[in-house]
Each structure stands twice: as structure tokens, then as C-alpha cells.
Amino acid sequence: MKFIQILEEPIEPGGLVEWMPYVPGGLGNWSHDSRLTSHNHEQHLRSAFEYRLRTRREGGRESWLGLSIEFDEPLSIPAIRSTLMTWIDRHEVLRSHVVIKGDGLQRLSTDVGTVKLKMGRIGWYTQSGPLVEQIAGAFDRATAPLHWPAYMFATVGREDSFTLLFAADHSLVDGYSLIMAQQELVTLYRSARDHTEPDLPAVGSYVDFSAEERRQADQTGADHPAVSTWSSFLRSGRGSLPGFDYRPAGTDGDPDSATDPTADNPTAEDTASAETDDGPGPQNSITGVVLDDDAANRFTAVCSQAGGTLTAGVLAAFAIVYHERTGDPEFRCVLPRHTRDHTRWLTALGWFVAVAPFCLDVSDSPTFDQAVTRATAELKRSRQGASLPFLRVAELIGYEGEPHFVISFIDTRYAPGAAAADEGRAKVLRSHSYATDEVFIWINRTPSGMRVSARFPARAAVTVGPTVDSTTEVNNLTSAGIDDATDLDTPDAVRAYLGRFTELVQAIGDSSTFGVTNPPGAQPSN
């Protein structure tokens, strides 16, 4: 299943309809809800509010995730309307909204059956480009977190097929939500079309989850294990979260400030001025396939033989590639970890994500099997960091800052409908990001192999030089020609990093004689 920025791939032209949720009478008819808001959601809202006050606009900071699903049959308007309304009723997070009131927050919620859908026929498109731009723009405008609804739907109908699209602000969904949601929406549509009852498991409410998470976190003190885990990690990085710096060993610069916006110490006035002028441009992205299914299975077997999981192997490979160029004695990044700790949360829409630190000792240029062993131990040790929201940890230790270099791994093979989705039925979508200081890499193990997606800064605010095409396929990336370069900007550095990572994991999977040592090309340079 692909995870792409919405403008990266075409949508087959057809008749575009936008579906906007509404409640007759507006928020004034909603009920006051005493359930607490998660740390993630509160910080997200306050950041959006501060941005609006500072810039007097909301555009340029979109943070939505979405889904596109292909149906090989004509669109039934009654069936799709029933599908979407049933889905909204099923997931309470789509019927709840949080508003900022002074220094506090107020949640409002509305009952099952109260949300309706307004159908807006936009027009018939004969070309994909204008169609995708229209949908992307509508999603950008409709998903502002300070308003309800912070989500919307669209359909593109054709004679014998249609596409269903959905986008929601990140405060309402995460990537795992959407991986699970594609089969749920297909099931609901088929049931509505056939006038049958959908066979779906009961689902919990993210509103309940976030309230309980917030209650427990606010009652936690500095003696929580997550606090010591993060404190140790921050000390190892000279007091900061890691940035992405793929410069060769011996190059001047602080490895932890390469993608850190505080590196050049911009003032609040500088930031406000930049945002009220043209503002930062959208980040670039890379999407592609690293390994096919057979090669991914071979790579996994190597990881198992070395005593680790596929996750540990991926991180070990990233660490080796980073060390062989930079010479850094430690590989440091931040890992998202899901918080779905009960079956009732498995298919729930919501932002069920915490983060954990990851620090791997590579000072002795370890072999791959050694790196896997260390990564396995580090994953076990550092998972404590995700047992408390990072924002609460930061509050307890007086830290200000957000992750700059993040690597995510998800195995989607066991999600309902995973094979059909991976064959092209569904894609997870994301908005542009305008961050000038973030490098995010997603590795997904799907039924067809191992996929990668990444986003990274594209402007001279952080880097200099040309940018890469936003649709660059990782299979075309190579580390050739960069070994002696010292002035790679962030886009080229990320391309080079992912290219070398791809070369390494392919070599490991393809080496028939590999035991628990290194295949050709896997040993870092000294």
C-alpha cells in the first residue's frame, strides 16, 4: 500500500463531487463534553492558533492525512452517502471537536445520527492534473484543526468505476487508522449497495482513549521510566533531539543541528516575517519500492538469523549507512510507536501515536549482525520512552523542542484487505509539509515487498542548491558519485542516504552465502 503526497500520482479523470459533513444548527446544538484532550491534540491546536494569530491566515501549515480507494463499479449515490454517514457514526472522533477557550480547552460532541452530508457537484474533469489540484486544494482548506469539520470526502465518478477520497487533520487520524480504514469503507459500501448488515468488529472511541491517556499522564511525575529514558537520550545528544546531517566525517558542523531551526538562532520576529511574506515552501518527497516480496523475505531471514526482527534490521541498516559516511559514533533518531494497547482501539480512527528515542552505538563500525543485535536491545530498552506522551516528558524536564529526524516502520501485511490495497486498490495520502527542519522517513512492509516514503526540506532556509523532483522513485537512487562530495544539500543528502540504504538491504537479501557476517558492500568504511 503506497503512502504518497497527494500531488505525486494522478487520479483518473471523471465527475468530481465533494461531500461536506454538517450538523443542522451548527456547534450551538452540540453537547459540552468533559472528556480531556490528549497532549498531542492540545499542542496541535495551540500551534495552529498561534500560527493564525501571527500570520492572520491558516494556509501554509496543512497537516492532514487521507485515503483514496478505487472501486471497479459505477458509483451509487445512495450507497456512498449511507457509507459515509455510517462511518461517521461509527467513529466518535469525527463527531467531536475541541475549541480553545482562554487558557483552557472545551470539547463539544454530537450524537450518532446527527451529522449529515452536503453533496457538492464540482464538475467533470478530462485531465488528471487539474482534478488532483482541485482535490488537494479542497482538502487543504477543509482540514484546518480549529474548525469543525476538520475533514471531508470526495468522489470521482466514471462510467464503470469511481474513486473515493478522504482527508482529515492529523489530530483525528494517524497512518495506521487509514491502513485499517480502507477495508472498512469497502465493506460498508458493499453492504449499503446490497442492503445487508456489514460484518465489522465493534470499535472503541479515540475520544475515550485520549481522555484516559491525558488523565494518566497528568498524574505522572518525574519518576516515570519514560522520563529517565528521554533524559538519557537528550544528554547523549548534547541536550537536543537529533537532526539529519549526512555530511562526511571531518566536515565542520554540529551533527545535531543540521535540520534544527535553532541552529542559526532565528528570532521570533524573523520567523513571523518569513511566515507573513511568502512563507516556507513545501517540502520535497521521495516514494518507491526498496525490495520486492522475495527479497524482503530474504532480508527478514537474515535479520532473524542475527537474532532480530525486520524492524531491527531496517534500523541497523540505516545506522550503518549513516555511520559509513558521517563517521558519527552514534546513530540517533526518533521512532513513532502506536499506542493501540487494546483490541477495541485496533480499527479506531484517532491519533494513537507516541514517540521513542533510538540511539545505536556504531563507534566500532559494527558488522550487520552486530548492528542488528544492538538494535534489538535498543528497541527493547527505549520503548519505555513511548509509555508517556513526549509532550508530558518535556513538561516534566523543562525541555522545549520537537523531533527533527524520524524513522517509522509499519508492517501492513496483516491488515484487512492488505493484498488488494497493495495491488493498487487503496493509497494512504498526506498533505504537503512546510517544515524547514524535519526529515521524516517511512518504511512499510507490504504484501508486495518493502516500500519507502520520505519528506524533507527543499528550501535554502535550511539547505542550499537545487531540489529533487517530488516524485523521485527510490529504485532510481544511487550513492554513486557522492562519496567525495562534502556540500550536499538536504534534498540530495536524503536521496543519497536512501539510495545507499537500498543498495545495502538489497545486497544483504541477495547474498546467498550470508550468515551473520556482512555481504559485499555491507561493511562500513573506516
Side-chain angles (χ1 to χ4, degrees), residues 283-286 430 433 435 438-440 442 453-457:
Q283 289 196 321
N284 282 144
S285 61
I286 289 175
R430 68 177 188 274
S433 172
E438 294 177 354
V439 173
F440 278 53
W442 295 270
S453 183
R455 64 171 176 84
F456 43 88

Side-chain angles (χ1 to χ4, degrees), residues 13-38:
L16 174 61
V17 174
E18 294 177 355
W19 301 83
M20 183 61 67
Y22 73 98
V23 173
L27 291 175
N29 290 335
W30 290 39
S31 301
H32 283 220
D33 191 329
S34 62
R35 286 174 291 180
L36 300 173
T37 303
S38 71

Side-chain angles (χ1 to χ4, degrees), residues 420-444:
D422 204 39
E423 290 171 358
R425 184 180 73 181
K427 303 181 186 77
V428 174
L429 309 174
R430 68 177 188 274
S431 65
H432 275 308
S433 172
Y434 294 83
T436 60
D437 63 331
E438 294 177 354
V439 173
F440 278 53
I441 299 172
W442 295 270
I443 300 292
N444 292 342

Side-chain angles (χ1 to χ4, degrees), residues 204-287:
S205 168
Y206 176 68
V207 181
D208 288 336
F209 172 87
S210 60
E212 180 61 19
E213 180 190 63
R214 182 59 181 261
R215 185 190 64 80
Q216 292 182 3
D218 284 349
Q219 293 175 354
T220 297
D223 58 344
H224 191 281
V227 175
S228 60
T229 299
W230 276 106
S231 296
S232 174
F233 180 73
L234 292 171
R235 283 195 302 270
S236 73
R238 294 174 293 282
S240 66
L241 288 167
F244 178 82
D245 184 5
Y246 199 50
R247 287 173 290 187
T251 302
D252 291 338
D254 180 354
D256 284 332
S257 65
T259 54
D260 184 345
T262 64
D264 296 322
N265 298 315
T267 66
E269 290 78 10
D270 293 334
T271 302
S273 174
E275 289 177 336
T276 53
D277 295 331
D278 291 335
Q283 289 196 321
N284 282 144
S285 61
I286 289 175
T287 301

Side-chain angles (χ1 to χ4, degrees), residues 134-147:
Q134 168 64 31
I135 295 171
F139 283 176
D140 285 350
R141 293 186 293 272
T143 56
L146 299 176
H147 302 286

Side-chain angles (χ1 to χ4, degrees), residues 84-105:
L84 301 182
M85 292 177 64
T86 301
W87 201 54
I88 292 170
D89 285 345
R90 180 172 167 82
H91 295 284
E92 188 182 20
V93 71
L94 301 179
R95 296 180 284 105
S96 190
H97 182 58
V98 178
V99 296
I100 297 175
K101 284 195 170 183
D103 293 333
L105 302 175

Side-chain angles (χ1 to χ4, degrees), residues 4 17 38 48-49 64 79 98 102 117 177 182 198 205 237 255 258 261 281 291 303 311 388 454 495 502 525:
I4 63 170
V17 174
S38 71
F49 184 68
W64 58 260
V98 178
L117 285 171
S177 297
Q182 59 89 17
S205 168
L291 301 172
C303 297
T311 306
L388 190 67
R495 292 180 72 241
T502 300
S525 314

